[in-house]
Amino acid sequence: MRYHNITHDDMLNGTGLRVVLWVSGCTHCCEGCHNKITWDINDGILFDEKAKKELFYYLEKNYTEGITFSGGDPLHPLNRAEITALAKEIRERFPNKNLWLYTGFKWENIQNLDIMKYIDVLVDDKFIIQLKDNNLHWKGSSNQRVIDVKKSIEKGEVCLFDK
């Protein structure tokens, strides 16, 4: 897996102060995407132990609420195994931190992926420029959903995140 950046003290991509891993690779290529530089799966920096240590350093901070996986698309088919293993390791090592994930895939098509066992909140679906709304919280277009993953799995239906 490759990535473009690790940001910390982020307040825009989930609740509280967060660490964000911006992974490489996206198959959706949405018109108006704010992060086109991350589309190429072969671009960016190799995610290695040094990058993992950087993530963990910021996750160890008491004020860091959690991590957000964004990109690109963390669920690009070539990212899935590594991002799932990373999410599992973070969940085990930092059980009180929450994990958010942004993807262009719809919940209905990815709800059974192993990674969903570790994700708390999922922002799903492609960004559609015609549905862009700057007043939306944690999403860019009105078709996207901010999903409470654990509730949705438990109830067998999409439950929106409300905080």
Side-chain angles (χ1 to χ4, degrees):
M1 179 174 72
R2 302 183 76 79
Y3 74 104
H4 277 266
N5 198 11
I6 295 171
T7 55
H8 56 91
D9 300 341
D10 179 279
M11 297 186 316
L12 300 174
N13 296 286
T15 56
L17 290 175
R18 316 188 64 69
V19 179
V20 182
L21 176 62
W22 303 91
V23 301
S24 298
C26 186
T27 58
H28 309 292
C29 304
C30 302
E31 179 186 351
C33 174
H34 73 282
N35 216 1
K36 288 182 181 180
I37 193 169
T38 63
W39 288 1
D40 185 349
I41 191 75
N42 298 307
D43 199 15
I45 307 161
L46 183 65
F47 188 82
D48 58 10
E49 284 302 313
K50 182 180 174 192
K52 188 188 292 188
K53 283 181 183 176
E54 182 179 347
L55 279 181
F56 290 178
Y57 172 80
Y58 290 108
L59 283 169
E60 288 171 352
K61 304 291 183 191
N62 288 335
Y63 62 79
T64 302
E65 188 170 315
I67 186 167
T68 300
F69 300 114
S70 194
D73 193 330
L75 297 184
H76 182 290
L78 297 178
N79 289 334
R80 289 182 183 181
E82 197 164 347
I83 205 78
T84 299
L86 180 60
K88 180 179 190 270
E89 186 174 353
I90 290 170
R91 173 64 68 214
E92 290 169 353
R93 187 164 173 178
F94 304 99
N96 296 322
K97 305 291 182 174
N98 61 56
L99 285 73
W100 285 52
L101 189 144
Y102 281 78
T103 184
F105 294 100
K106 289 185 76 81
W107 167 255
E108 290 77 7
N109 298 321
I110 58 172
Q111 64 184 327
N112 295 320
L113 293 178
D114 284 343
I115 193 169
M116 293 308 155
K117 293 184 272 193
Y118 313 111
I119 302 299
D120 296 295
V121 178
L122 177 85
V123 182
D124 83 331
D125 213 348
K126 296 177 186 177
F127 170 75
I128 299 176
I129 197 161
Q130 294 83 356
L131 301 177
K132 179 180 178 179
D133 183 344
N134 291 331
N135 296 312
L136 297 172
H137 212 52
W138 298 311
K139 58 185 184 174
S141 57
S142 60
N143 61 298
Q144 295 174 308
R145 299 173 292 184
V146 183
I147 298 171
D148 183 321
V149 174
K150 293 189 183 340
K151 267 191 200 173
S152 297
I153 291 170
E154 180 183 308
K155 294 191 174 193
E157 62 186 33
V158 172
C159 297
L160 299 180
F161 178 75
D162 183 26
K163 186 172 182 185

mmCIF file of all heavy atoms in Angstrom, residues 118-158:
data_model
loop_
_atom_site.group_PDB
_atom_site.id
_atom_site.type_symbol
_atom_site.label_atom_id
_atom_site.label_comp_id
_atom_site.label_asym_id
_atom_site.label_seq_id
_atom_site.Cartn_x
_atom_site.Cartn_y
_atom_site.Cartn_z
ATOM 1 N N TYR A 118 -13.792 -3.542 12.345
ATOM 2 C CA TYR A 118 -12.918 -2.617 13.060
ATOM 3 C C TYR A 118 -13.299 -1.147 12.881
ATOM 4 O O TYR A 118 -12.797 -0.292 13.597
ATOM 5 C CB TYR A 118 -11.464 -2.815 12.589
ATOM 6 C CG TYR A 118 -11.081 -4.267 12.556
ATOM 7 C CD1 TYR A 118 -10.856 -4.930 11.362
ATOM 8 C CD2 TYR A 118 -10.997 -5.007 13.738
ATOM 9 C CE1 TYR A 118 -10.530 -6.279 11.334
ATOM 10 C CE2 TYR A 118 -10.679 -6.357 13.720
ATOM 11 C CZ TYR A 118 -10.452 -6.982 12.507
ATOM 12 O OH TYR A 118 -10.141 -8.313 12.488
ATOM 13 N N ILE A 119 -14.169 -0.860 11.940
ATOM 14 C CA ILE A 119 -14.545 0.525 11.615
ATOM 15 C C ILE A 119 -15.754 0.937 12.440
ATOM 16 O O ILE A 119 -16.717 0.188 12.582
ATOM 17 C CB ILE A 119 -14.846 0.655 10.102
ATOM 18 C CG1 ILE A 119 -13.628 0.241 9.270
ATOM 19 C CG2 ILE A 119 -15.310 2.067 9.748
ATOM 20 C CD1 ILE A 119 -12.375 1.061 9.502
ATOM 21 N N ASP A 120 -15.709 2.154 12.972
ATOM 22 C CA ASP A 120 -16.832 2.708 13.727
ATOM 23 C C ASP A 120 -17.767 3.514 12.837
ATOM 24 O O ASP A 120 -18.988 3.392 12.938
ATOM 25 C CB ASP A 120 -16.318 3.602 14.870
ATOM 26 C CG ASP A 120 -15.532 2.807 15.880
ATOM 27 O OD1 ASP A 120 -16.129 1.943 16.545
ATOM 28 O OD2 ASP A 120 -14.308 3.038 16.000
ATOM 29 N N VAL A 121 -17.195 4.355 11.985
ATOM 30 C CA VAL A 121 -18.001 5.223 11.121
ATOM 31 C C VAL A 121 -17.468 5.137 9.698
ATOM 32 O O VAL A 121 -16.258 5.220 9.469
ATOM 33 C CB VAL A 121 -17.970 6.688 11.615
ATOM 34 C CG1 VAL A 121 -18.770 7.597 10.682
ATOM 35 C CG2 VAL A 121 -18.505 6.785 13.041
ATOM 36 N N LEU A 122 -18.386 4.967 8.759
ATOM 37 C CA LEU A 122 -18.060 4.871 7.342
ATOM 38 C C LEU A 122 -18.787 5.977 6.596
ATOM 39 O O LEU A 122 -20.000 6.134 6.760
ATOM 40 C CB LEU A 122 -18.512 3.509 6.793
ATOM 41 C CG LEU A 122 -18.284 3.304 5.302
ATOM 42 C CD1 LEU A 122 -16.870 2.807 5.050
ATOM 43 C CD2 LEU A 122 -19.295 2.321 4.725
ATOM 44 N N VAL A 123 -18.056 6.725 5.795
ATOM 45 C CA VAL A 123 -18.679 7.682 4.872
ATOM 46 C C VAL A 123 -18.614 7.022 3.509
ATOM 47 O O VAL A 123 -17.523 6.769 2.983
ATOM 48 C CB VAL A 123 -17.960 9.044 4.885
ATOM 49 C CG1 VAL A 123 -18.666 10.018 3.946
ATOM 50 C CG2 VAL A 123 -17.917 9.614 6.306
ATOM 51 N N ASP A 124 -19.791 6.703 2.958
ATOM 52 C CA ASP A 124 -19.827 5.896 1.733
ATOM 53 C C ASP A 124 -20.279 6.688 0.515
ATOM 54 O O ASP A 124 -20.779 7.803 0.620
ATOM 55 C CB ASP A 124 -20.728 4.663 1.928
ATOM 56 C CG ASP A 124 -22.212 4.933 1.733
ATOM 57 O OD1 ASP A 124 -22.679 6.068 1.968
ATOM 58 O OD2 ASP A 124 -22.940 3.987 1.360
ATOM 59 N N ASP A 125 -20.080 6.089 -0.622
ATOM 60 C CA ASP A 125 -20.567 6.516 -1.925
ATOM 61 C C ASP A 125 -19.660 7.565 -2.573
ATOM 62 O O ASP A 125 -18.894 8.259 -1.910
ATOM 63 C CB ASP A 125 -22.011 7.015 -1.867
ATOM 64 C CG ASP A 125 -22.790 6.712 -3.135
ATOM 65 O OD1 ASP A 125 -22.192 6.314 -4.152
ATOM 66 O OD2 ASP A 125 -24.026 6.883 -3.117
ATOM 67 N N LYS A 126 -19.789 7.668 -3.872
ATOM 68 C CA LYS A 126 -18.982 8.590 -4.658
ATOM 69 C C LYS A 126 -19.390 10.041 -4.371
ATOM 70 O O LYS A 126 -20.548 10.319 -4.053
ATOM 71 C CB LYS A 126 -19.193 8.323 -6.153
ATOM 72 C CG LYS A 126 -18.733 6.972 -6.606
ATOM 73 C CD LYS A 126 -19.060 6.770 -8.073
ATOM 74 C CE LYS A 126 -18.736 5.364 -8.515
ATOM 75 N NZ LYS A 126 -19.102 5.130 -9.911
ATOM 76 N N PHE A 127 -18.432 10.933 -4.530
ATOM 77 C CA PHE A 127 -18.727 12.366 -4.499
ATOM 78 C C PHE A 127 -19.353 12.732 -5.839
ATOM 79 O O PHE A 127 -18.818 12.398 -6.899
ATOM 80 C CB PHE A 127 -17.442 13.173 -4.277
ATOM 81 C CG PHE A 127 -17.632 14.644 -4.463
ATOM 82 C CD1 PHE A 127 -18.281 15.400 -3.496
ATOM 83 C CD2 PHE A 127 -17.172 15.281 -5.605
ATOM 84 C CE1 PHE A 127 -18.471 16.756 -3.671
ATOM 85 C CE2 PHE A 127 -17.350 16.630 -5.790
ATOM 86 C CZ PHE A 127 -17.995 17.380 -4.820
ATOM 87 N N ILE A 128 -20.503 13.385 -5.796
ATOM 88 C CA ILE A 128 -21.187 13.830 -7.016
ATOM 89 C C ILE A 128 -21.256 15.344 -6.980
ATOM 90 O O ILE A 128 -21.941 15.931 -6.122
ATOM 91 C CB ILE A 128 -22.593 13.207 -7.134
ATOM 92 C CG1 ILE A 128 -22.480 11.682 -7.201
ATOM 93 C CG2 ILE A 128 -23.329 13.768 -8.347
ATOM 94 C CD1 ILE A 128 -23.795 10.944 -7.232
ATOM 95 N N ILE A 129 -20.539 15.974 -7.894
ATOM 96 C CA ILE A 129 -20.394 17.420 -7.865
ATOM 97 C C ILE A 129 -21.742 18.142 -7.953
ATOM 98 O O ILE A 129 -21.935 19.192 -7.336
ATOM 99 C CB ILE A 129 -19.405 17.912 -8.956
ATOM 100 C CG1 ILE A 129 -18.966 19.344 -8.633
ATOM 101 C CG2 ILE A 129 -19.987 17.760 -10.342
ATOM 102 C CD1 ILE A 129 -17.698 19.784 -9.315
ATOM 103 N N GLN A 130 -22.706 17.573 -8.680
ATOM 104 C CA GLN A 130 -24.027 18.199 -8.799
ATOM 105 C C GLN A 130 -24.783 18.187 -7.465
ATOM 106 O O GLN A 130 -25.737 18.925 -7.277
ATOM 107 C CB GLN A 130 -24.870 17.505 -9.879
ATOM 108 C CG GLN A 130 -24.327 17.664 -11.285
ATOM 109 C CD GLN A 130 -23.232 16.664 -11.646
ATOM 110 O OE1 GLN A 130 -22.792 15.852 -10.825
ATOM 111 N NE2 GLN A 130 -22.764 16.725 -12.884
ATOM 112 N N LEU A 131 -24.371 17.309 -6.544
ATOM 113 C CA LEU A 131 -25.013 17.205 -5.232
ATOM 114 C C LEU A 131 -24.139 17.792 -4.121
ATOM 115 O O LEU A 131 -24.429 17.602 -2.939
ATOM 116 C CB LEU A 131 -25.333 15.742 -4.923
ATOM 117 C CG LEU A 131 -26.263 15.038 -5.911
ATOM 118 C CD1 LEU A 131 -26.434 13.568 -5.541
ATOM 119 C CD2 LEU A 131 -27.615 15.737 -5.984
ATOM 120 N N LYS A 132 -23.097 18.518 -4.512
ATOM 121 C CA LYS A 132 -22.188 19.124 -3.544
ATOM 122 C C LYS A 132 -22.940 20.118 -2.674
ATOM 123 O O LYS A 132 -23.784 20.879 -3.152
ATOM 124 C CB LYS A 132 -21.048 19.845 -4.266
ATOM 125 C CG LYS A 132 -20.066 20.523 -3.336
ATOM 126 C CD LYS A 132 -18.958 21.214 -4.106
ATOM 127 C CE LYS A 132 -18.036 21.930 -3.133
ATOM 128 N NZ LYS A 132 -16.936 22.600 -3.832
ATOM 129 N N ASP A 133 -22.646 20.084 -1.388
ATOM 130 C CA ASP A 133 -23.281 20.995 -0.438
ATOM 131 C C ASP A 133 -22.271 21.291 0.666
ATOM 132 O O ASP A 133 -21.924 20.408 1.448
ATOM 133 C CB ASP A 133 -24.547 20.346 0.135
ATOM 134 C CG ASP A 133 -25.309 21.252 1.085
ATOM 135 O OD1 ASP A 133 -24.750 22.267 1.565
ATOM 136 O OD2 ASP A 133 -26.479 20.938 1.371
ATOM 137 N N ASN A 134 -21.793 22.524 0.722
ATOM 138 C CA ASN A 134 -20.779 22.909 1.710
ATOM 139 C C ASN A 134 -21.312 22.925 3.137
ATOM 140 O O ASN A 134 -20.532 23.048 4.078
ATOM 141 C CB ASN A 134 -20.195 24.283 1.367
ATOM 142 C CG ASN A 134 -19.351 24.233 0.111
ATOM 143 O OD1 ASN A 134 -18.759 23.213 -0.214
ATOM 144 N ND2 ASN A 134 -19.307 25.330 -0.617
ATOM 145 N N ASN A 135 -22.613 22.792 3.316
ATOM 146 C CA ASN A 135 -23.201 22.796 4.651
ATOM 147 C C ASN A 135 -23.310 21.399 5.261
ATOM 148 O O ASN A 135 -23.732 21.263 6.404
ATOM 149 C CB ASN A 135 -24.587 23.453 4.622
ATOM 150 C CG ASN A 135 -24.498 24.915 4.232
ATOM 151 O OD1 ASN A 135 -23.670 25.651 4.777
ATOM 152 N ND2 ASN A 135 -25.316 25.338 3.283
ATOM 153 N N LEU A 136 -22.955 20.382 4.516
ATOM 154 C CA LEU A 136 -23.036 19.012 5.021
ATOM 155 C C LEU A 136 -21.876 18.740 5.971
ATOM 156 O O LEU A 136 -20.772 19.227 5.772
ATOM 157 C CB LEU A 136 -23.008 18.018 3.859
ATOM 158 C CG LEU A 136 -24.175 18.116 2.884
ATOM 159 C CD1 LEU A 136 -23.925 17.227 1.678
ATOM 160 C CD2 LEU A 136 -25.475 17.752 3.577
ATOM 161 N N HIS A 137 -22.149 17.943 6.976
ATOM 162 C CA HIS A 137 -21.139 17.606 7.971
ATOM 163 C C HIS A 137 -20.464 16.293 7.608
ATOM 164 O O HIS A 137 -21.132 15.272 7.456
ATOM 165 C CB HIS A 137 -21.830 17.504 9.336
ATOM 166 C CG HIS A 137 -20.977 17.912 10.478
ATOM 167 N ND1 HIS A 137 -20.310 19.116 10.526
ATOM 168 C CD2 HIS A 137 -20.667 17.283 11.623
ATOM 169 C CE1 HIS A 137 -19.638 19.208 11.663
ATOM 170 N NE2 HIS A 137 -19.833 18.097 12.343
ATOM 171 N N TRP A 138 -19.144 16.300 7.453
ATOM 172 C CA TRP A 138 -18.299 15.128 7.214
ATOM 173 C C TRP A 138 -18.484 14.476 5.847
ATOM 174 O O TRP A 138 -17.994 13.369 5.621
ATOM 175 C CB TRP A 138 -18.459 14.072 8.298
ATOM 176 C CG TRP A 138 -18.067 14.539 9.655
ATOM 177 C CD1 TRP A 138 -16.913 15.190 9.999
ATOM 178 C CD2 TRP A 138 -18.808 14.413 10.843
ATOM 179 N NE1 TRP A 138 -16.909 15.469 11.338
ATOM 180 C CE2 TRP A 138 -18.065 14.987 11.891
ATOM 181 C CE3 TRP A 138 -20.044 13.851 11.156
ATOM 182 C CZ2 TRP A 138 -18.508 15.033 13.195
ATOM 183 C CZ3 TRP A 138 -20.472 13.898 12.456
ATOM 184 C CH2 TRP A 138 -19.717 14.475 13.457
ATOM 185 N N LYS A 139 -19.193 15.123 4.943
ATOM 186 C CA LYS A 139 -19.334 14.575 3.599
ATOM 187 C C LYS A 139 -19.439 15.724 2.614
ATOM 188 O O LYS A 139 -19.724 16.853 3.010
ATOM 189 C CB LYS A 139 -20.556 13.645 3.506
ATOM 190 C CG LYS A 139 -21.878 14.297 3.870
ATOM 191 C CD LYS A 139 -23.009 13.288 3.873
ATOM 192 C CE LYS A 139 -24.338 13.980 4.142
ATOM 193 N NZ LYS A 139 -25.452 13.042 3.998
ATOM 194 N N GLY A 140 -19.204 15.416 1.345
ATOM 195 C CA GLY A 140 -19.162 16.469 0.339
ATOM 196 C C GLY A 140 -20.412 16.620 -0.499
ATOM 197 O O GLY A 140 -20.721 17.700 -0.975
ATOM 198 N N SER A 141 -21.144 15.519 -0.702
ATOM 199 C CA SER A 141 -22.354 15.585 -1.515
ATOM 200 C C SER A 141 -23.493 14.844 -0.811
ATOM 201 O O SER A 141 -23.253 13.935 -0.016
ATOM 202 C CB SER A 141 -22.106 15.020 -2.924
ATOM 203 O OG SER A 141 -21.630 13.700 -2.913
ATOM 204 N N SER A 142 -24.704 15.257 -1.118
ATOM 205 C CA SER A 142 -25.870 14.791 -0.359
ATOM 206 C C SER A 142 -26.193 13.312 -0.539
ATOM 207 O O SER A 142 -26.924 12.730 0.269
ATOM 208 C CB SER A 142 -27.103 15.636 -0.706
ATOM 209 O OG SER A 142 -27.393 15.546 -2.090
ATOM 210 N N ASN A 143 -25.657 12.653 -1.551
ATOM 211 C CA ASN A 143 -25.873 11.215 -1.725
ATOM 212 C C ASN A 143 -25.045 10.389 -0.751
ATOM 213 O O ASN A 143 -25.368 9.242 -0.463
ATOM 214 C CB ASN A 143 -25.511 10.792 -3.154
ATOM 215 C CG ASN A 143 -24.054 11.065 -3.459
ATOM 216 O OD1 ASN A 143 -23.613 12.221 -3.436
ATOM 217 N ND2 ASN A 143 -23.303 10.033 -3.744
ATOM 218 N N GLN A 144 -23.980 10.960 -0.222
ATOM 219 C CA GLN A 144 -23.104 10.227 0.682
ATOM 220 C C GLN A 144 -23.764 10.089 2.048
ATOM 221 O O GLN A 144 -24.584 10.918 2.446
ATOM 222 C CB GLN A 144 -21.758 10.947 0.798
ATOM 223 C CG GLN A 144 -20.995 10.953 -0.513
ATOM 224 C CD GLN A 144 -19.734 11.779 -0.438
ATOM 225 O OE1 GLN A 144 -19.747 12.928 -0.029
ATOM 226 N NE2 GLN A 144 -18.628 11.173 -0.851
ATOM 227 N N ARG A 145 -23.389 9.026 2.758
ATOM 228 C CA ARG A 145 -23.966 8.767 4.075
ATOM 229 C C ARG A 145 -22.857 8.606 5.103
ATOM 230 O O ARG A 145 -21.816 8.007 4.814
ATOM 231 C CB ARG A 145 -24.814 7.494 4.043
ATOM 232 C CG ARG A 145 -25.989 7.580 3.081
ATOM 233 C CD ARG A 145 -26.699 6.264 2.933
ATOM 234 N NE ARG A 145 -25.854 5.273 2.252
ATOM 235 C CZ ARG A 145 -26.243 4.048 1.927
ATOM 236 N NH1 ARG A 145 -27.470 3.650 2.227
ATOM 237 N NH2 ARG A 145 -25.441 3.215 1.317
ATOM 238 N N VAL A 146 -23.108 9.106 6.294
ATOM 239 C CA VAL A 146 -22.194 8.936 7.420
ATOM 240 C C VAL A 146 -22.824 7.844 8.278
ATOM 241 O O VAL A 146 -23.808 8.085 8.988
ATOM 242 C CB VAL A 146 -22.000 10.256 8.194
ATOM 243 C CG1 VAL A 146 -20.994 10.074 9.317
ATOM 244 C CG2 VAL A 146 -21.549 11.377 7.246
ATOM 245 N N ILE A 147 -22.268 6.641 8.197
ATOM 246 C CA ILE A 147 -22.912 5.432 8.709
ATOM 247 C C ILE A 147 -22.266 4.965 10.010
ATOM 248 O O ILE A 147 -21.045 4.856 10.107
ATOM 249 C CB ILE A 147 -22.827 4.314 7.645
ATOM 250 C CG1 ILE A 147 -23.586 4.743 6.389
ATOM 251 C CG2 ILE A 147 -23.357 2.988 8.186
ATOM 252 C CD1 ILE A 147 -23.384 3.825 5.191
ATOM 253 N N ASP A 148 -23.105 4.665 10.986
ATOM 254 C CA ASP A 148 -22.667 4.021 12.228
ATOM 255 C C ASP A 148 -22.542 2.529 11.909
ATOM 256 O O ASP A 148 -23.549 1.821 11.796
ATOM 257 C CB ASP A 148 -23.680 4.271 13.342
ATOM 258 C CG ASP A 148 -23.263 3.702 14.676
ATOM 259 O OD1 ASP A 148 -22.685 2.587 14.711
ATOM 260 O OD2 ASP A 148 -23.530 4.351 15.698
ATOM 261 N N VAL A 149 -21.320 2.063 11.725
ATOM 262 C CA VAL A 149 -21.085 0.707 11.233
ATOM 263 C C VAL A 149 -21.572 -0.355 12.222
ATOM 264 O O VAL A 149 -22.253 -1.301 11.841
ATOM 265 C CB VAL A 149 -19.595 0.495 10.878
ATOM 266 C CG1 VAL A 149 -19.321 -0.957 10.518
ATOM 267 C CG2 VAL A 149 -19.195 1.416 9.737
ATOM 268 N N LYS A 150 -21.234 -0.199 13.486
ATOM 269 C CA LYS A 150 -21.604 -1.227 14.468
ATOM 270 C C LYS A 150 -23.128 -1.362 14.590
ATOM 271 O O LYS A 150 -23.654 -2.473 14.618
ATOM 272 C CB LYS A 150 -20.958 -0.913 15.811
ATOM 273 C CG LYS A 150 -19.433 -1.042 15.720
ATOM 274 C CD LYS A 150 -18.759 -0.961 17.030
ATOM 275 C CE LYS A 150 -17.255 -1.019 16.968
ATOM 276 N NZ LYS A 150 -16.587 -1.555 15.821
ATOM 277 N N LYS A 151 -23.837 -0.246 14.649
ATOM 278 C CA LYS A 151 -25.306 -0.290 14.707
ATOM 279 C C LYS A 151 -25.886 -0.895 13.441
ATOM 280 O O LYS A 151 -26.849 -1.667 13.493
ATOM 281 C CB LYS A 151 -25.878 1.123 14.880
ATOM 282 C CG LYS A 151 -26.131 1.538 16.284
ATOM 283 C CD LYS A 151 -26.935 2.831 16.287
ATOM 284 C CE LYS A 151 -26.810 3.548 17.598
ATOM 285 N NZ LYS A 151 -27.432 4.869 17.562
ATOM 286 N N SER A 152 -25.317 -0.526 12.297
ATOM 287 C CA SER A 152 -25.824 -1.033 11.019
ATOM 288 C C SER A 152 -25.661 -2.541 10.915
ATOM 289 O O SER A 152 -26.563 -3.238 10.441
ATOM 290 C CB SER A 152 -25.107 -0.334 9.856
ATOM 291 O OG SER A 152 -25.367 1.050 9.872
ATOM 292 N N ILE A 153 -24.529 -3.054 11.365
ATOM 293 C CA ILE A 153 -24.309 -4.508 11.344
ATOM 294 C C ILE A 153 -25.272 -5.191 12.311
ATOM 295 O O ILE A 153 -25.902 -6.199 11.977
ATOM 296 C CB ILE A 153 -22.836 -4.835 11.684
ATOM 297 C CG1 ILE A 153 -21.926 -4.387 10.537
ATOM 298 C CG2 ILE A 153 -22.659 -6.324 11.971
ATOM 299 C CD1 ILE A 153 -20.439 -4.447 10.847
ATOM 300 N N GLU A 154 -25.416 -4.631 13.498
ATOM 301 C CA GLU A 154 -26.292 -5.207 14.521
ATOM 302 C C GLU A 154 -27.751 -5.251 14.076
ATOM 303 O O GLU A 154 -28.437 -6.252 14.260
ATOM 304 C CB GLU A 154 -26.169 -4.366 15.797
ATOM 305 C CG GLU A 154 -27.009 -4.832 16.954
ATOM 306 C CD GLU A 154 -26.875 -3.881 18.138
ATOM 307 O OE1 GLU A 154 -25.737 -3.593 18.546
ATOM 308 O OE2 GLU A 154 -27.922 -3.421 18.638
ATOM 309 N N LYS A 155 -28.229 -4.171 13.445
ATOM 310 C CA LYS A 155 -29.640 -4.087 13.055
ATOM 311 C C LYS A 155 -29.917 -4.629 11.658
ATOM 312 O O LYS A 155 -31.067 -4.806 11.288
ATOM 313 C CB LYS A 155 -30.124 -2.643 13.163
ATOM 314 C CG LYS A 155 -30.141 -2.153 14.596
ATOM 315 C CD LYS A 155 -30.850 -0.840 14.716
ATOM 316 C CE LYS A 155 -30.960 -0.484 16.183
ATOM 317 N NZ LYS A 155 -31.880 0.611 16.422
ATOM 318 N N GLY A 156 -28.872 -4.839 10.862
ATOM 319 C CA GLY A 156 -29.066 -5.344 9.509
ATOM 320 C C GLY A 156 -29.629 -4.322 8.554
ATOM 321 O O GLY A 156 -30.206 -4.666 7.533
ATOM 322 N N GLU A 157 -29.474 -3.043 8.882
ATOM 323 C CA GLU A 157 -29.920 -1.953 8.017
ATOM 324 C C GLU A 157 -29.031 -0.746 8.253
ATOM 325 O O GLU A 157 -28.382 -0.644 9.303
ATOM 326 C CB GLU A 157 -31.378 -1.585 8.289
ATOM 327 C CG GLU A 157 -31.626 -1.080 9.704
ATOM 328 C CD GLU A 157 -33.098 -0.847 10.009
ATOM 329 O OE1 GLU A 157 -33.937 -1.578 9.478
ATOM 330 O OE2 GLU A 157 -33.373 0.066 10.784
ATOM 331 N N VAL A 158 -29.004 0.173 7.312
ATOM 332 C CA VAL A 158 -28.157 1.353 7.444
ATOM 333 C C VAL A 158 -28.669 2.226 8.580
ATOM 334 O O VAL A 158 -29.843 2.602 8.617
ATOM 335 C CB VAL A 158 -28.119 2.168 6.131
ATOM 336 C CG1 VAL A 158 -27.399 3.496 6.348
ATOM 337 C CG2 VAL A 158 -27.449 1.370 5.041
#
